[in-house]
């Protein structure tokens, strides 16, 4: 696929409120983001690893390196999502970094074919089911209150 430019960068987003787990308190989200320009439009993909290998082995820093060394060349050398995924099969691990390239290609396909992503993926629901991770609270009552707040939304 031809791109006029591809940029990989770290993005830090402050959280609405601190998120506490047994690993500690997180106040901002670190992401590896790929932006690619094609036919004058910008397309994006992100790797959602954390700043440290807490959830799995990937980190924002390791994803940035993997994306620059392996994902970007595969994006430039692939004509389709399927071809990109075949190229990524050569590399072990790094599922979040690989997904960033796939997300970007789905964004390209959705815009260029003028179809919503859900249609391209064969999904017939209007909304995606999702949940929220609440994190640790001061005490069980605060946790219950927080869950009740989210259930109202």
């Amino acid at each position: 696929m031809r791109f006029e430019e591809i940029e990989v960068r770290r993005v830090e987003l402050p959280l609405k409120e601190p998120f506490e787990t047994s690993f500690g308190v997180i106040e901002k989200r670190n992401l590896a983001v790929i932006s690619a320009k094609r036919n004058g439009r910008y397309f994006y993909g992100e790797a959602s690893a954390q700043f440290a290998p807490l959830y799995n082995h990937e980190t924002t820093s390791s994803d940035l390196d993997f994306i620059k060394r392996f994902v970007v060349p595969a994006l430039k050398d692939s004509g389709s999502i399927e071809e990109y995924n075949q190229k990524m099969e050569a590399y072990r691990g790094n599922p979040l970094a690989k997904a960033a390239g796939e997300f970007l290609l789905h964004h390209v396909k959705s815009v260029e074919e003028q179809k919503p992503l859900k249609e391209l993926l064969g999904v017939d629901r209007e909304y995606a089911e999702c949940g929220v991770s609440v994190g640790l609270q001061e005490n069980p009552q605060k946790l219950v209150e927080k869950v009740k707040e989210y259930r109202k939304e």
Side-chain angles (χ1 to χ4, degrees):
M1 202 166 277
R2 293 217 181 268
F3 293 102
E4 292 142 38
E5 60 186 65
I6 297 178
E7 184 179 356
V8 181
R9 63 181 158 233
R10 176 188 304 265
V11 175
E12 281 189 359
L13 301 173
L15 298 180
K16 185 175 170 182
E17 57 187 57
F19 183 77
E20 185 174 357
T21 68
S22 59
F23 300 122
V25 178
I26 300 170
E27 296 185 13
K28 58 188 170 189
R29 190 80 171 96
N30 284 283
L31 302 166
V33 175
I34 308 171
S35 63
K37 186 176 180 183
R38 176 176 164 83
N39 299 325
R41 292 180 161 154
Y42 285 92
F43 301 93
Y44 301 92
E46 78 171 52
S48 58
Q50 300 200 10
F51 68 95
L54 303 172
Y55 175 71
N56 69 6
H57 69 281
E58 285 181 87
T59 67
T60 307
S61 295
S62 69
D63 281 355
L64 287 166
D65 181 61
F66 187 90
I67 290 168
K68 289 174 186 173
R69 294 176 62 202
F70 304 107
V71 171
V72 169
L75 287 170
K76 291 178 179 178
D77 195 36
S78 298
S80 68
I81 296 166
E82 296 75 21
E83 189 177 348
Y84 168 81
N85 285 334
Q86 285 177 339
K87 291 181 186 311
M88 289 294 100
E89 286 177 9
Y91 308 110
R92 292 183 176 200
N94 301 284
L96 301 174
K98 292 175 185 178
E102 185 175 349
F103 293 160
L104 186 141
L105 293 175
H106 278 293
H107 188 196
V108 170
K109 187 173 182 179
S110 177
V111 170
E112 291 184 351
E113 292 185 16
Q114 297 183 331
K115 293 181 181 177
L117 182 58
K118 71 175 197 157
E119 187 177 319
L120 293 175
L121 297 175
V123 176
D124 61 358
R125 292 186 312 258
E126 195 60 33
Y127 298 97
E129 292 183 28
C130 64
V132 62
S133 183
V134 179
L136 298 175
Q137 301 298 311
E138 292 175 35
N139 57 53
Q141 186 57 36
K142 290 274 189 194
L143 178 61
V144 170
E145 288 172 19
K146 184 65 76 175
V147 170
K148 283 180 181 178
E149 288 174 28
Y150 282 119
R151 291 196 42 95
K152 287 179 188 175
E153 292 181 9

